[in-house]
Amino acid sequence: MAAIICGSLAFDTIMTFEGRFAEQILPDQLHILNVSFLVPALRRDFGGCAGNIAYGLKLLGGNPLPMATVGSDGLDYIARLRAQGISTEFVREVSDTYTAQCFITTDLANNQITAFHPGAMQQAHLTKIAPRSDVRLGIISPDGRDAMLQHAEQFKAAGIPFVFDPGQGLPMFDGKELAHFVELATWVAVNDYEGKMLSDRTGWSSAELSRRVQGLIVTLGAEGSEVWVDGEKTGVPPAKASAVVDPTGCGDAYRGALLYGLEQGWSLARCAALGNRIGALKIAQRGPQNYTLDLKEIGL
């Protein structure tokens, strides 16, 4: 069976400034800010939530169907997906724009300056979800605003259970819109910061949120996860990482594992345990799609 993964495909350009931003920016001159940072270290990764989640689910043996958009510069990304055996049936090319891109500059104190260009992602709503006999579930991860709203409605109309994973897209929606997402969704997945924001905007506590869906998953980074079902919380211990190299994409790796477990009919606690394990493996590698898995080692 397959899982539709709604979200972004993006290129991540990561740069390292071998100094500290604070030493280059004069606080009393911010009104005429004009700075340049020499970045001798640079790398470009394939990223975006849909791509990252699909990558993780495929490694686990799942069948991801990413539903996303790329621009005229996205042919390399499409070729990469196909080389990994991931279907591009729902990947739309928008010829008059660029693929979504994130530019991140990090200084020696791990401060970051980020610029994000949504590009083709703003046209993601043009692709529609319809009932399919081979699709068991789906996920809505950060995407264009219209796409997230419309795809949630389409999942519900098609009778496809889905995870609402607002991520960094959560601030785009007010309390009423977020409450409607929850009403349409089967599960909700957030990190602890997003969980607090979701509760603040909807007025519902984690316990209340969990009673409106089949389950609420809250990731806690190095502290593991919380799983809420019918108002009851279960803590899921973290998995120890062999090294902490790059957290980019850890949440998406976790969600790939979550989808895999849900496809297998596992309990949410078991899904979360696998998510913790995959997140710990990913954080030991640079980039969101460069880790590998030994299925026997992780008990699959």
Side-chain angles (χ1 to χ4, degrees):
M1 300 298 284
I4 294 177
I5 302 173
C6 299
S8 61
L9 295 177
F11 294 117
D12 295 337
T13 300
I14 314 297
M15 297 161 281
T16 301
F17 170 56
E18 296 180 349
R20 288 173 168 77
F21 295 142
E23 296 171 353
Q24 305 294 320
I25 298 174
L26 302 176
D28 61 343
Q29 299 296 313
L30 290 179
H31 63 292
I32 54 170
L33 183 65
N34 186 359
V35 295
S36 176
F37 302 109
L38 179 66
V39 288
L42 180 150
R43 75 175 193 274
R44 194 183 195 215
D45 291 322
F46 293 96
C49 293
N52 297 344
I53 295 170
Y55 178 85
L57 179 56
K58 185 66 177 181
L59 287 182
L60 289 164
N63 182 20
L65 295 173
M67 181 173 285
T69 50
V70 296
S72 57
D73 58 342
L75 294 180
D76 286 348
Y77 209 142
I78 290 174
R80 173 181 169 81
L81 292 170
R82 290 174 178 167
Q84 294 170 333
I86 296 174
S87 170
T88 57
E89 176 182 357
F90 296 131
V91 176
R92 178 188 294 268
E93 182 184 353
V94 183
S95 60
D96 59 349
T97 187
Y98 290 112
T99 301
Q101 302 190 40
C102 187
F103 300 88
I104 304 171
T105 303
T106 304
D107 73 359
L108 292 181
N110 286 321
N111 297 306
Q112 291 185 326
I113 296 176
T114 300
F116 181 73
H117 172 66
M121 192 178 79
Q122 294 174 302
Q123 304 300 318
H125 61 281
L126 296 177
T127 308
K128 310 298 183 184
I129 294 167
R132 290 233 333 207
S133 60
D134 63 330
V135 173
R136 177 170 293 179
L137 76 165
I139 185 169
I140 291 180
S141 59
D143 205 351
R145 173 182 164 82
D146 290 343
M148 293 178 72
L149 290 166
Q150 293 178 29
H151 288 159
E153 297 282 358
Q154 292 162 11
F155 269 133
K156 186 68 172 182
I160 300 173
F162 72 94
V163 179
F164 176 48
D165 168 34
Q168 294 177 336
L170 194 154
M172 293 190 294
F173 305 102
D174 61 25
K176 183 178 179 180
E177 291 167 328
L178 290 169
H180 189 53
F181 275 119
V182 173
E183 290 166 355
L184 296 171
T186 314
W187 305 275
V188 175
V190 289
N191 64 27
D192 50 347
Y193 179 83
E194 295 156 2
K196 291 181 176 65
M197 182 180 291
L198 182 60
S199 290
D200 286 345
R201 294 200 174 185
T202 61
W204 298 331
S205 66
S206 294
E208 290 172 308
L209 283 165
S210 72
R211 294 189 185 100
R212 296 172 183 273
V213 289
Q214 290 187 18
L216 167 68
I217 303 95
V218 182
T219 61
L220 307 173
E223 302 303 314
S225 310
E226 293 176 354
V227 170
W228 292 80
V229 178
D230 291 330
E232 298 295 326
K233 180 177 71 173
T234 300
V236 182
K240 184 175 177 57
S242 61
V244 178
V245 176
D246 180 9
T248 307
C250 283
D252 296 329
Y254 183 108
R255 281 147 180 79
L258 171 62
L259 290 178
Y260 177 82
L262 291 173
E263 282 187 340
Q264 308 306 308
W266 293 358
S267 69
L268 277 187
R270 186 178 178 187
C271 293
L274 180 63
N276 289 343
R277 183 75 183 277
I278 303 305
L281 291 170
K282 198 253 72 83
I283 204 171
Q285 302 294 329
R286 292 199 180 279
Q289 297 180 28
N290 297 319
Y291 63 100
T292 58
L293 299 179
D294 183 329
L295 297 184
K296 290 184 179 179
E297 183 181 328
I298 59 178
L300 297 179

